[in-house]
Short mmCIF file of all heavy atoms in Angstrom, two decimals:
data_model
loop_
_atom_site.label_atom_id
_atom_site.label_comp_id
_atom_site.label_asym_id
_atom_site.label_seq_id
_atom_site.Cartn_x
_atom_site.Cartn_y
_atom_site.Cartn_z
N SER V 349 -198.95 104.76 -72.71
CA SER V 349 -200.16 104.59 -73.50
C SER V 349 -201.07 105.80 -73.29
O SER V 349 -201.07 106.38 -72.18
CB SER V 349 -200.88 103.35 -73.06
OG SER V 349 -202.19 103.30 -73.59
N ARG V 350 -201.82 106.11 -74.33
CA ARG V 350 -202.83 107.15 -74.14
C ARG V 350 -203.94 106.55 -73.27
O ARG V 350 -204.14 105.35 -73.21
CB ARG V 350 -203.39 107.64 -75.44
CG ARG V 350 -204.28 106.60 -76.19
CD ARG V 350 -204.81 107.11 -77.48
NE ARG V 350 -205.63 106.06 -78.09
CZ ARG V 350 -206.95 105.97 -77.97
NH1 ARG V 350 -207.62 106.86 -77.19
NH2 ARG V 350 -207.61 105.02 -78.56
N LEU V 351 -204.69 107.39 -72.61
CA LEU V 351 -205.90 106.98 -71.87
C LEU V 351 -207.11 107.28 -72.68
O LEU V 351 -207.12 108.19 -73.54
CB LEU V 351 -205.96 107.73 -70.50
CG LEU V 351 -204.82 107.45 -69.50
CD1 LEU V 351 -204.90 108.34 -68.33
CD2 LEU V 351 -204.85 105.96 -69.07
N LEU V 352 -208.21 106.54 -72.42
CA LEU V 352 -209.43 106.82 -73.14
C LEU V 352 -210.22 107.90 -72.39
O LEU V 352 -210.21 107.91 -71.16
CB LEU V 352 -210.27 105.52 -73.22
CG LEU V 352 -209.68 104.42 -74.05
CD1 LEU V 352 -210.56 103.18 -74.00
CD2 LEU V 352 -209.47 104.82 -75.48
N GLU V 353 -210.92 108.71 -73.09
CA GLU V 353 -211.71 109.78 -72.50
C GLU V 353 -213.21 109.51 -72.68
O GLU V 353 -213.59 108.99 -73.71
CB GLU V 353 -211.34 111.13 -73.10
CG GLU V 353 -209.85 111.54 -72.81
CD GLU V 353 -209.51 112.85 -73.44
OE1 GLU V 353 -210.38 113.71 -73.65
OE2 GLU V 353 -208.31 113.03 -73.76
N GLY V 354 -214.00 109.88 -71.72
CA GLY V 354 -215.49 109.69 -71.82
C GLY V 354 -216.03 109.19 -70.50
O GLY V 354 -215.32 109.01 -69.52
N ASP V 355 -217.36 109.05 -70.48
CA ASP V 355 -218.05 108.60 -69.28
C ASP V 355 -218.21 107.10 -69.26
O ASP V 355 -218.93 106.56 -70.14
CB ASP V 355 -219.41 109.29 -69.16
CG ASP V 355 -219.31 110.84 -69.04
OD1 ASP V 355 -218.37 111.25 -68.31
OD2 ASP V 355 -220.13 111.54 -69.61
N PHE V 356 -217.55 106.47 -68.36
CA PHE V 356 -217.62 104.97 -68.22
C PHE V 356 -218.92 104.67 -67.51
O PHE V 356 -219.50 105.44 -66.77
CB PHE V 356 -216.45 104.46 -67.43
CG PHE V 356 -216.15 103.03 -67.63
CD1 PHE V 356 -215.33 102.57 -68.64
CD2 PHE V 356 -216.68 102.06 -66.79
CE1 PHE V 356 -215.05 101.23 -68.89
CE2 PHE V 356 -216.43 100.70 -66.94
CZ PHE V 356 -215.61 100.29 -68.00
N LEU V 357 -219.44 103.48 -67.76
CA LEU V 357 -220.66 102.99 -67.10
C LEU V 357 -220.57 103.19 -65.59
O LEU V 357 -219.53 102.87 -64.99
CB LEU V 357 -220.87 101.54 -67.47
CG LEU V 357 -222.02 100.83 -66.73
CD1 LEU V 357 -223.37 101.15 -67.43
CD2 LEU V 357 -221.83 99.31 -66.74
N ASP V 358 -221.68 103.58 -64.96
CA ASP V 358 -221.70 103.65 -63.49
C ASP V 358 -221.93 102.20 -63.01
O ASP V 358 -223.02 101.70 -62.91
CB ASP V 358 -222.85 104.53 -63.06
CG ASP V 358 -222.97 104.62 -61.50
OD1 ASP V 358 -222.22 103.89 -60.83
OD2 ASP V 358 -223.83 105.35 -61.01
N TYR V 359 -220.80 101.50 -62.78
CA TYR V 359 -220.84 100.06 -62.53
C TYR V 359 -221.52 99.71 -61.23
O TYR V 359 -222.19 98.67 -61.14
CB TYR V 359 -219.41 99.43 -62.63
CG TYR V 359 -218.47 99.88 -61.55
CD1 TYR V 359 -218.35 99.21 -60.35
CD2 TYR V 359 -217.65 100.99 -61.72
CE1 TYR V 359 -217.45 99.60 -59.36
CE2 TYR V 359 -216.74 101.39 -60.77
CZ TYR V 359 -216.64 100.69 -59.58
OH TYR V 359 -215.78 101.11 -58.60
N ASN V 360 -221.46 100.60 -60.25
CA ASN V 360 -222.14 100.30 -58.96
C ASN V 360 -223.60 100.25 -59.16
O ASN V 360 -224.32 99.43 -58.53
CB ASN V 360 -221.71 101.34 -57.90
CG ASN V 360 -220.34 101.10 -57.34
OD1 ASN V 360 -220.02 99.95 -57.01
ND2 ASN V 360 -219.54 102.13 -57.27
N ALA V 361 -224.11 101.17 -59.99
CA ALA V 361 -225.60 101.23 -60.21
C ALA V 361 -226.05 99.97 -61.09
O ALA V 361 -227.20 99.56 -61.00
CB ALA V 361 -225.98 102.54 -60.93
N ALA V 362 -225.12 99.49 -61.92
CA ALA V 362 -225.50 98.37 -62.82
C ALA V 362 -225.57 96.99 -62.10
O ALA V 362 -226.15 96.06 -62.62
CB ALA V 362 -224.49 98.31 -63.97
N ILE V 363 -224.95 96.89 -60.95
CA ILE V 363 -224.86 95.59 -60.27
C ILE V 363 -226.11 95.42 -59.37
O ILE V 363 -226.36 96.23 -58.49
CB ILE V 363 -223.56 95.50 -59.43
CG1 ILE V 363 -222.35 95.59 -60.33
CG2 ILE V 363 -223.55 94.22 -58.60
CD1 ILE V 363 -221.03 95.78 -59.62
N PRO V 364 -226.90 94.33 -59.57
CA PRO V 364 -228.07 94.14 -58.71
C PRO V 364 -227.66 93.99 -57.26
O PRO V 364 -226.63 93.32 -56.97
CB PRO V 364 -228.66 92.79 -59.27
CG PRO V 364 -228.04 92.61 -60.62
CD PRO V 364 -226.72 93.31 -60.59
N LYS V 365 -228.44 94.52 -56.39
CA LYS V 365 -228.03 94.51 -54.94
C LYS V 365 -228.70 93.39 -54.17
O LYS V 365 -228.35 93.07 -53.07
CB LYS V 365 -228.43 95.91 -54.30
CG LYS V 365 -227.74 97.09 -54.97
CD LYS V 365 -226.24 97.02 -54.80
CE LYS V 365 -225.54 98.27 -55.31
NZ LYS V 365 -225.50 98.31 -56.80
N ILE V 366 -229.80 92.83 -54.79
CA ILE V 366 -230.52 91.73 -54.07
C ILE V 366 -230.57 90.52 -54.98
O ILE V 366 -230.41 90.59 -56.14
CB ILE V 366 -231.93 92.18 -53.60
CG1 ILE V 366 -232.74 92.62 -54.86
CG2 ILE V 366 -231.89 93.24 -52.58
CD1 ILE V 366 -234.23 92.86 -54.57
N SER V 367 -230.82 89.30 -54.31
CA SER V 367 -230.98 88.11 -55.09
C SER V 367 -232.03 87.21 -54.44
O SER V 367 -232.14 87.19 -53.19
CB SER V 367 -229.65 87.34 -55.20
OG SER V 367 -229.15 86.99 -53.96
N LYS V 368 -232.77 86.51 -55.28
CA LYS V 368 -233.77 85.59 -54.73
C LYS V 368 -233.29 84.16 -54.73
O LYS V 368 -233.87 83.28 -54.05
CB LYS V 368 -235.04 85.66 -55.64
CG LYS V 368 -235.73 87.02 -55.61
CD LYS V 368 -236.85 87.05 -56.63
CE LYS V 368 -237.51 88.47 -56.72
NZ LYS V 368 -238.53 88.54 -57.78
N THR V 369 -232.21 83.90 -55.47
CA THR V 369 -231.68 82.53 -55.55
C THR V 369 -230.15 82.58 -55.43
O THR V 369 -229.50 83.42 -56.08
CB THR V 369 -232.06 81.89 -56.88
OG1 THR V 369 -233.44 82.00 -57.15
CG2 THR V 369 -231.66 80.44 -56.93
N THR V 370 -229.60 81.69 -54.59
CA THR V 370 -228.13 81.59 -54.47
C THR V 370 -227.72 80.13 -54.75
O THR V 370 -228.27 79.23 -54.17
CB THR V 370 -227.66 82.00 -53.06
OG1 THR V 370 -228.05 83.38 -52.81
CG2 THR V 370 -226.17 81.89 -52.92
N VAL V 371 -226.71 80.01 -55.60
CA VAL V 371 -226.21 78.65 -56.00
C VAL V 371 -224.75 78.58 -55.66
O VAL V 371 -223.94 79.44 -56.12
CB VAL V 371 -226.37 78.41 -57.53
CG1 VAL V 371 -225.89 77.05 -57.89
CG2 VAL V 371 -227.88 78.55 -57.94
N LYS V 372 -224.33 77.58 -54.85
CA LYS V 372 -222.93 77.36 -54.58
C LYS V 372 -222.54 76.11 -55.38
O LYS V 372 -223.13 75.05 -55.18
CB LYS V 372 -222.68 77.16 -53.11
CG LYS V 372 -223.03 78.38 -52.23
CD LYS V 372 -222.92 78.09 -50.77
CE LYS V 372 -223.27 79.36 -49.95
NZ LYS V 372 -223.19 79.06 -48.48
N ILE V 373 -221.61 76.27 -56.29
CA ILE V 373 -221.31 75.20 -57.26
C ILE V 373 -219.82 75.07 -57.58
O ILE V 373 -219.10 76.03 -57.50
CB ILE V 373 -222.13 75.44 -58.57
CG1 ILE V 373 -222.21 74.21 -59.45
CG2 ILE V 373 -221.60 76.65 -59.34
CD1 ILE V 373 -223.33 74.29 -60.48
N ASN V 374 -219.40 73.88 -57.88
CA ASN V 374 -218.02 73.57 -58.28
C ASN V 374 -217.77 74.19 -59.69
O ASN V 374 -218.49 73.87 -60.63
CB ASN V 374 -217.74 72.10 -58.29
CG ASN V 374 -216.31 71.75 -58.67
OD1 ASN V 374 -215.98 71.71 -59.83
ND2 ASN V 374 -215.46 71.53 -57.67
N THR V 375 -216.77 75.03 -59.75
CA THR V 375 -216.48 75.79 -61.02
C THR V 375 -216.13 74.83 -62.13
O THR V 375 -216.65 74.99 -63.25
CB THR V 375 -215.36 76.77 -60.78
OG1 THR V 375 -215.51 77.46 -59.59
CG2 THR V 375 -215.21 77.76 -61.92
N ARG V 376 -215.30 73.84 -61.91
CA ARG V 376 -214.86 72.96 -62.94
C ARG V 376 -216.05 72.09 -63.44
O ARG V 376 -216.18 71.90 -64.66
CB ARG V 376 -213.75 71.99 -62.37
CG ARG V 376 -213.14 70.99 -63.37
CD ARG V 376 -212.23 71.68 -64.34
NE ARG V 376 -212.84 71.84 -65.65
CZ ARG V 376 -212.33 72.56 -66.63
NH1 ARG V 376 -211.24 73.22 -66.45
NH2 ARG V 376 -212.94 72.61 -67.79
N SER V 377 -216.86 71.63 -62.57
CA SER V 377 -218.01 70.81 -62.92
C SER V 377 -218.96 71.59 -63.81
O SER V 377 -219.49 71.08 -64.80
CB SER V 377 -218.80 70.31 -61.64
OG SER V 377 -217.90 69.52 -60.87
N LEU V 378 -219.28 72.87 -63.40
CA LEU V 378 -220.17 73.66 -64.19
C LEU V 378 -219.56 74.05 -65.57
O LEU V 378 -220.22 73.98 -66.61
CB LEU V 378 -220.55 74.95 -63.45
CG LEU V 378 -221.59 75.86 -64.18
CD1 LEU V 378 -222.84 75.11 -64.49
CD2 LEU V 378 -221.95 77.09 -63.27
N THR V 379 -218.25 74.33 -65.56
CA THR V 379 -217.53 74.65 -66.83
C THR V 379 -217.63 73.44 -67.81
O THR V 379 -217.96 73.60 -68.98
CB THR V 379 -216.08 75.01 -66.56
OG1 THR V 379 -216.00 76.10 -65.68
CG2 THR V 379 -215.33 75.35 -67.86
N ASP V 380 -217.35 72.25 -67.29
CA ASP V 380 -217.37 71.04 -68.08
C ASP V 380 -218.78 70.81 -68.65
O ASP V 380 -218.98 70.44 -69.83
CB ASP V 380 -216.95 69.79 -67.30
CG ASP V 380 -215.47 69.81 -66.99
OD1 ASP V 380 -214.75 70.61 -67.60
OD2 ASP V 380 -215.06 69.03 -66.13
N SER V 381 -219.79 71.06 -67.81
CA SER V 381 -221.17 70.82 -68.23
C SER V 381 -221.59 71.82 -69.32
O SER V 381 -222.24 71.44 -70.32
CB SER V 381 -222.10 71.03 -67.04
OG SER V 381 -223.41 70.80 -67.37
N VAL V 382 -221.18 73.09 -69.18
CA VAL V 382 -221.51 74.10 -70.23
C VAL V 382 -220.78 73.73 -71.55
O VAL V 382 -221.38 73.85 -72.61
CB VAL V 382 -221.08 75.52 -69.75
CG1 VAL V 382 -221.28 76.55 -70.92
CG2 VAL V 382 -221.85 75.94 -68.53
N GLU V 383 -219.55 73.25 -71.41
CA GLU V 383 -218.80 72.91 -72.66
C GLU V 383 -219.43 71.68 -73.35
O GLU V 383 -219.51 71.66 -74.57
CB GLU V 383 -217.35 72.62 -72.33
CG GLU V 383 -216.55 73.87 -72.00
CD GLU V 383 -215.08 73.62 -71.63
OE1 GLU V 383 -214.80 72.50 -71.19
OE2 GLU V 383 -214.29 74.49 -71.79
N ARG V 384 -219.92 70.73 -72.57
CA ARG V 384 -220.58 69.55 -73.13
C ARG V 384 -221.85 69.95 -73.86
O ARG V 384 -222.13 69.58 -74.99
CB ARG V 384 -220.89 68.53 -72.06
CG ARG V 384 -219.79 67.67 -71.66
CD ARG V 384 -220.20 66.46 -70.86
NE ARG V 384 -220.82 66.81 -69.58
CZ ARG V 384 -220.15 66.99 -68.42
NH1 ARG V 384 -218.82 66.82 -68.39
NH2 ARG V 384 -220.78 67.28 -67.32
N THR V 385 -222.66 70.79 -73.17
CA THR V 385 -223.94 71.24 -73.73
C THR V 385 -223.76 72.08 -74.96
O THR V 385 -224.62 72.16 -75.82
CB THR V 385 -224.76 72.00 -72.65
OG1 THR V 385 -224.67 71.27 -71.43
CG2 THR V 385 -226.18 72.19 -73.05
#
Side-chain angles (χ1 to χ4, degrees):
S349 168
R350 71 179 180 94
L351 295 174
L352 296 177
E353 296 178 28
D355 296 322
F356 201 86
L357 174 80
D358 181 354
Y359 65 91
N360 283 314
I363 298 169
K365 301 296 184 285
I366 56 172
S367 61
K368 296 175 183 173
T369 310
T370 301
V371 179
K372 296 176 181 176
I373 195 163
N374 181 277
T375 314
R376 183 73 257 169
S377 298
L378 182 56
T379 302
D380 289 347
S381 181
V382 174
E383 286 179 337
R384 281 194 295 271
T385 313

